[in-house]
């Protein structure tokens, strides 16, 4: 009996067998598959990585405390400086209402008042009387204004009406809302330090300077209202890195989940940064993030209020938290012109400040918000990012 034939028998040489196969086609398909993976894998990684707080965009209100101009004050403003009056003739509801409507970044203009009483008698009240106009309601509780502590107002002596006064009262309102909504998206509190004197035909108050001593007092006031676990400080972001800038460029900001229920305090005026940094390199043991020039040791947050959008987009992609303004001086709302607003939305700036946030549309219809009245949206500058409805609330 002959031996059993094998199931497979090579009848041709290996060289002849390969002649029928298009090797170039195989190589081409393999390269295409590898290229496809190179495109898909980063996207999959972006989708699987936890969202970070700087990968969303949030709506902010400009001069969030501004209660508007009283009737007789308005008459006086229109007589003496109608152009400036046209820029400040707006108001916002209380902070609590703004948070309920979806605002997640507020701005408070603050004045140092170490001894108290500096801003207790605004000059405009006397000017209203001299003009023979009816007296307006008191702009604030007189006892509150006589006590030491930072005050909240737009322009000393001229535009002092605020929905919360003094600063600690505003901060308590923020904390109360935060505690009532413990899983809220991070709230950003921008503090603008005001110290510019006025040059008018009648006497006005000389503001106190924001030197290191005043800024130490500012940290102390914030800490008197908020416990350390209530807010995200520069130390939390820096972590093991030598500088804050190195941390946000390499590691990034905290995850969105870890930032929920937290407050982030931001210092608006760049020129006070050096005084705030004195004795606190890279913001060690400080409460606020400075509005820093990109690249500096303390640079994590920066402002480009007027763009351009291309510069904002570049900084956002580098890891910076950027605040900009979607409108200014009531010009865009008056024309219902959304050109600037839309450009800033597309820029990826995380903090989008407006005089007309969702719920406070201008008379001509201008408003800044996200589709479906969402509290935030996925940042367009981060490719492959996916945000669920749960990520964008509350």
């Amino acid at each position: 009996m002959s031996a059993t034939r094998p199931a497979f028998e090579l009848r041709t040489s290996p060289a002849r067998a390969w002649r029928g196969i298009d090797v170039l086609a195989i190589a081409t398909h393999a390269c295409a598959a590898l290229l496809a993976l190179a495109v898909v894998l980063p996207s999959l990684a972006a989708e699987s990585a936890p969202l970070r707080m700087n990968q969303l965009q949030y709506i902010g209100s400009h001069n969030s405390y501004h209660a508007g101009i009283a009737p007789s004050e308005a008459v006086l403003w229109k007589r003496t400086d109608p152009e400036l009056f046209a820029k400040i003739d707006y108001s916002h509801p209380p902070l609590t209402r703004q948070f309920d409507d979806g605002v997640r970044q507020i701005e408070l203009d603050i004045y140092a008042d170490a001894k108290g009483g500096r801003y207790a008698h605004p000059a405009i009240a006397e000017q209203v009387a001299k003009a023979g106009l009816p007296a307006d309601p008191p702009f604030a509780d007189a006892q509150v204004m006589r006590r030491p502590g930072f005050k909240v107002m737009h322009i000393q002596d001229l535009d002092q009406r605020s929905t919360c006064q003094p600063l600690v009262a505003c901060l308590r309102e923020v904390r109360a809302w935060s505690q009532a909504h413990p899983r809220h998206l991070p709230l950003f509190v921008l503090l603008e330090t005001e110290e510019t004197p006025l040059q008018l035909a009648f006497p006005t108050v000389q503001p106190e300077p924001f030197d290191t001593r005043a800024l130490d007092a500012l940290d102390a006031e914030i800490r008197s209202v908020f416990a350390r676990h209530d807010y995200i400080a520069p130390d939390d972001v820096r972590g093991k890195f030598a500088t804050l800038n190195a941390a946000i460029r390499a590691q990034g900001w905290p995850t969105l989940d870890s930032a929920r229920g937290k407050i982030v305090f931001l210092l608006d005026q760049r020129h006070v940064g050096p005084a705030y940094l004195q004795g606190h390199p890279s913001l060690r043991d400080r409460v606020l993030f400075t509005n820093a020039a990109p690249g500096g040791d303390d640079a994590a947050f920066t402002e480009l209020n007027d763009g351009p959008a291309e510069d904002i987009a570049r900084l956002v992609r580098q890891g910076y938290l950027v605040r900009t303004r979607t409108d200014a001086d009531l010009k865009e709302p008056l024309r219902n012109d959304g050109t600037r607003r839309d450009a800033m939305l597309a820029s990826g700036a995380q903090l989008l400040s407006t005089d007309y946030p969702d719920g406070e549309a201008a008379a001509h219809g201008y408003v800044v918000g996200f589709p479906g009245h969402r509290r935030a949206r996925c940042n367009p500058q981060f490719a492959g990012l996916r945000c669920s409805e749960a990520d964008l609330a509350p």
Side-chain angles (χ1 to χ4, degrees):
M1 182 180 287
S2 63
T4 305
R5 174 177 281 187
F8 173 77
E9 183 177 0
L10 184 61
R11 296 179 179 275
T12 58
S13 69
R16 292 184 64 186
W18 279 101
R19 288 175 188 169
I21 301 173
D22 189 342
V23 178
L24 180 60
I26 292 175
T28 301
H29 285 301
C31 287
L34 288 172
L35 286 172
L37 280 173
V39 172
V40 170
L41 286 177
S43 178
L44 290 175
E47 289 184 30
S48 61
L51 273 175
R52 294 190 175 271
M53 56 183 283
N54 63 310
Q55 292 179 320
L56 297 185
Q57 288 183 296
Y58 313 84
I59 301 299
S61 56
H62 170 244
N63 291 348
S64 313
Y65 59 87
H66 199 244
I69 311 296
S72 291
E73 292 170 3
V75 171
L76 194 60
W77 270 103
K78 290 175 184 176
R79 290 179 185 174
T80 57
D81 197 340
E83 185 177 351
L84 180 55
F85 178 73
K87 297 177 181 179
I88 64 172
D89 185 22
Y90 64 92
S91 63
H92 291 295
L95 302 181
T96 298
R97 164 73 182 281
Q98 293 184 56
F99 293 142
D100 287 342
D101 287 343
V103 164
R104 291 297 175 264
Q105 180 255 306
I106 60 170
E107 176 188 4
L108 304 175
D109 292 345
I110 59 172
Y111 290 75
D113 190 11
K115 296 182 179 179
R118 181 175 288 265
Y119 305 101
H121 305 285
I124 195 165
E126 183 178 350
Q127 297 305 309
V128 165
K130 286 183 177 180
L133 297 169
D136 287 313
F139 73 98
D141 186 319
Q143 290 186 355
V144 167
M145 298 305 291
R146 284 195 290 267
R147 297 186 192 119
F150 294 92
K151 305 303 189 293
V152 178
M153 66 191 84
H154 191 206
I155 307 171
Q156 75 273 23
D157 279 310
L158 301 180
D159 185 8
Q160 293 196 187
R161 296 180 184 274
S162 173
T163 62
C164 52
Q165 193 71 266
L167 174 61
V168 291
C170 303
L171 297 179
R172 287 175 186 142
E173 187 173 353
V174 173
R175 186 170 185 267
W177 190 92
S178 178
Q179 289 189 319
H181 304 80
R183 289 290 294 166
H184 65 74
L185 292 166
L187 299 180
F188 300 86
V189 178
L190 180 67
L191 299 177
E192 182 170 352
T193 51
E194 300 285 2
E195 52 187 333
T196 304
L198 300 176
Q199 302 294 330
L200 299 175
F202 49 87
T204 54
V205 172
Q206 172 73 39
E208 294 178 19
F210 272 90
D211 53 18
T212 300
R213 184 175 181 178
L215 293 165
D216 288 345
L218 178 58
D219 270 6
E221 280 209 4
I222 296 172
R223 287 171 172 147
S224 74
V225 176
F226 291 92
R228 180 62 184 83
H229 62 264
D230 290 333
Y231 60 91
I232 296 172
D235 288 341
D236 300 323
V237 177
R238 188 188 317 98
K240 64 180 181 180
F241 290 85
T243 69
L244 192 55
N245 187 248
I248 62 107
R249 299 289 295 272
Q251 172 181 274
W253 288 80
T255 64
L256 180 62
D257 190 63
S258 68
R260 286 189 176 277
K262 306 283 188 182
I263 317 298
V264 182
F265 294 99
L266 310 168
L267 193 59
D268 180 78
Q269 298 287 1
R270 182 166 292 174
H271 72 268
V272 302
Y276 193 64
L277 284 164
Q278 189 173 332
H280 301 268
S282 197
L283 297 173
R284 283 175 171 78
D285 301 318
R286 282 302 199 184
V287 175
L288 298 112
F289 291 85
T290 48
N291 171 17
D297 285 353
D298 59 322
F301 162 67
T302 194
E303 294 185 14
L304 277 79
N305 288 328
D306 299 311
E310 296 78 13
D311 289 354
I312 294 175
R314 174 175 51 83
L315 290 171
V316 167
R317 290 193 296 268
Q318 290 175 3
Y320 291 95
L321 183 73
V322 181
R323 183 254 192 173
T324 194
R325 292 184 64 181
T326 58
D327 45 83
D329 299 331
L330 309 190
K331 293 177 182 178
E332 291 83 5
L334 188 62
R335 304 189 300 267
N336 197 15
D337 180 2
T339 305
R340 173 173 174 168
R341 174 196 63 199
D342 296 344
M344 295 302 101
L345 281 163
S347 76
Q350 293 92 342
L351 307 179
L352 299 152
S353 181
T354 176
D355 288 315
Y356 295 97
D358 199 7
E360 299 180 53
H364 294 81
Y366 179 91
V367 69
V368 180
F370 299 128
H373 304 285
R374 291 181 179 90
R375 277 36 181 157
R377 78 167 186 173
C378 232
N379 196 308
Q381 291 302 323
F382 293 95
L385 208 59
R386 296 290 183 270
C387 302
S388 68
E389 288 297 323
D391 292 328
L392 307 178

